[in-house]
Amino acid sequence: MSNEPEQKPTPNQLVIYQIRLKGYLDSQWTDWFEDLTITLEDDGDTLLTGPVVDQAALHGLLKKVRDLGMPLVSVSPLKHSPSTTFETGQADQDQSDIKE
């Protein structure tokens, strides 16, 4: 077990989530789940994987899952993506990486 504190996302960071559903989701739903990758697993589950901006967006995705009527198996955060500057759309750089 590591003694390092768990890294928490800052408000500018996206979190990559994996949402597991019981059963296969047809490809017709790709547009409905926009930025998420839909993967059909050999065990009969569907994985929705991709960036989620914040908790409100996550709840919106979960509402869509509920509306499909498919059983929700799990929701797991996978990792934090680099923070993005909203004005430029560019990933923030650590100041120690900038050479003058």
Side-chain angles (χ1 to χ4, degrees):
M1 184 169 177
S2 174
N3 288 337
E4 294 181 28
E6 181 180 333
Q7 183 182 7
K8 302 215 183 216
T10 63
N12 292 4
Q13 285 183 317
L14 297 175
V15 178
I16 306 298
Y17 276 90
Q18 185 176 75
I19 301 170
R20 182 176 293 270
L21 309 175
K22 192 70 176 167
Y24 283 148
L25 185 63
D26 292 335
S27 59
Q28 72 186 31
W29 297 103
T30 304
D31 290 341
W32 208 37
F33 286 103
E34 300 169 5
D35 296 331
L36 300 180
T37 301
I38 298 173
T39 306
L40 304 179
E41 297 284 290
D42 291 337
D43 63 1
D45 288 352
T46 297
L47 294 179
L48 303 173
T49 308
V52 179
V53 184
D54 57 20
Q55 289 293 301
L58 178 61
H59 283 268
L61 287 172
L62 295 175
K63 280 183 179 180
K64 288 181 179 183
V65 169
R66 178 203 62 203
D67 292 348
L68 286 173
M70 295 180 73
L72 176 64
V73 176
S74 65
V75 178
S76 304
L78 298 181
K79 63 180 180 177
H80 307 291
S81 68
S83 60
T84 300
T85 304
F86 293 113
E87 293 82 16
T88 65
Q90 300 295 314
D92 292 339
Q93 290 183 319
D94 183 352
Q95 293 299 321
S96 62
D97 293 341
I98 299 174
K99 303 212 189 306
E100 294 184 24

